[in-house]
Amino acid sequence: MLEVVVVGVAALLTSILSAVAGLGGGVILLLVIAQFVSPTAAIPAQGAIQLVSNISRGALLRRDVSWPVVGWSSVLVVPASFLGVAVATSLPEDILRLALAGFVLVLAWRPQLLKASAAMSLQPHEARPMLFGVGALTGFLSTTIGASGPVTSPFLKAVTASHKAFVATAATTKVFANMSKLVAFSSQGWSITDNSAMIVVGIVGVLIGTWIGTRILDKVSERRLDLAFKVVLTLLACRVIFTVLT
C-alpha cells in the first residue's frame, strides 16, 4: 500500500515538472517506481503512467504541436523499442539498476555529457535525417534506461518555434514511444495487470499534475526547478546504488 501512495504522489509532482520543463519528470518517476520493483517491471509501468501524462499534456497544448516533427521522429521508434527491450531483458537486474542510477547522476550534475549539439532553427523538412535518429534514440533509450528526453531534447528544441511548442511536441512524440515501449515489453511477457494498483494511482496523479503544470508553465523559476531536480535525482539514485550494494 505504501508504494502505491508514494508512486501516486510522485506521479503528480513529476507530471507538474514535465509540464513546466518539458522533460525530467519521467526519470524521477522511474527511479521512484524502481525502489519497489525490478527495472524490467519499473520501465513499462512508468511507460504506462507516462503514456497518459503525455497524452493529456499533448491534448492540452495541441495547438502548439509540430506534427511534421512528430511524424518524422516516430518512424524508427518501434524497431528501436524492440531492440532496447531485447537488451534490457538480457542483462542482470543489478546491472540495469546501476546503469540507471549512473545515467541519472550524470543527468543531474553533468547533463552536457548527454546533450549532443543540434543545428538551431531548422525547419522540420530540413531535419528529416536528424529526426529519424531522434526516433531511434527515443525508442532504444526509453526501453533500456527508461528515459530519452535528456538526450533528444536539443534536437526537438531546434525544430520547434517556442518553449511551449517544444513541450507540446516532445509530449506527443513520447506518446508513440510509450506505446511502443508497452508493446515491446508485452512481447517479453510483461502484463499491464502487473502492479495495476500502482499504475492506476499513478495515472490519476499525472492527470492532476499535468492540469496544474500547464497552468503554471510560464510562472515557475527555472533556477529553483533545476536545483530541486538535481537534489531529488541524486537522493533517489544513491538509494538505488545502496540497494544494489547491500
Side-chain angles (χ1 to χ4, degrees):
M1 183 63 183
L2 174 63
E3 60 266 28
V4 174
V5 175
V6 171
V7 170
V9 173
L12 188 151
L13 296 177
T14 57
S15 191
I16 294 174
L17 172 62
S18 291
V20 172
L23 72 160
V27 180
I28 296 177
L29 180 60
L30 175 61
L31 274 179
V32 172
I33 297 174
Q35 309 294 322
F36 305 109
V37 298
S38 69
T40 51
I43 292 172
Q46 177 249 27
I49 296 171
Q50 287 297 103
L51 174 61
V52 177
S53 177
N54 288 314
I55 288 174
S56 60
R57 195 178 318 126
L60 289 169
L61 300 173
R62 59 189 177 278
R63 294 179 181 176
D64 298 286
V65 174
S66 175
W67 290 105
V69 172
V70 173
W72 292 116
S73 62
S74 298
V75 171
L76 295 179
V77 165
V78 173
S81 296
F82 276 87
L83 175 61
V85 168
V87 171
T89 54
S90 67
L91 294 173
E93 288 187 1
D94 282 349
I95 296 297
L96 274 180
R97 289 184 189 275
L98 290 174
L100 174 60
F103 170 80
V104 163
L105 289 173
V106 172
L107 172 61
W109 299 104
R110 290 291 184 272
Q112 64 272 20
L113 298 178
L114 299 174
K115 294 180 179 179
S117 61
M120 298 306 294
S121 302
L122 287 174
Q123 293 298 315
H125 69 274
E126 299 173 326
R128 288 177 188 176
M130 181 186 79
L131 292 174
F132 288 154
V134 168
L137 277 173
T138 298
F140 183 78
L141 293 177
S142 66
T143 49
T144 50
I145 55 176
S148 61
V151 178
T152 60
S153 60
F155 301 100
L156 294 178
K157 286 181 178 178
V159 291
T160 46
S162 65
H163 179 65
K164 184 174 284 189
F166 160 68
V167 172
T169 303
T172 308
T173 60
K174 289 172 188 172
V175 168
F176 295 100
N178 292 142
M179 292 173 65
S180 298
K181 179 193 297 189
L182 296 180
V183 171
F185 272 101
S186 295
S187 72
Q188 295 294 319
W190 179 80
S191 172
I192 200 167
T193 58
D194 298 340
N195 308 116
S196 56
M198 182 185 296
I199 292 172
V200 170
V201 172
I203 287 172
V204 174
V206 299
L207 287 173
I208 298 171
T210 298
W211 184 86
I212 295 171
T214 53
R215 279 153 180 78
I216 62 172
L217 182 57
D218 301 316
K219 303 175 183 177
V220 178
S221 166
E222 290 190 15
R223 174 182 282 185
R224 292 181 180 178
L225 198 64
D226 182 61
L227 177 60
F229 182 61
K230 287 180 177 180
V231 171
V232 173
L233 281 182
T234 301
L235 291 174
L236 289 171
C238 287
R239 191 178 188 282
V240 169
I241 294 171
F242 177 78
T243 300
V244 171
L245 296 180
T246 57

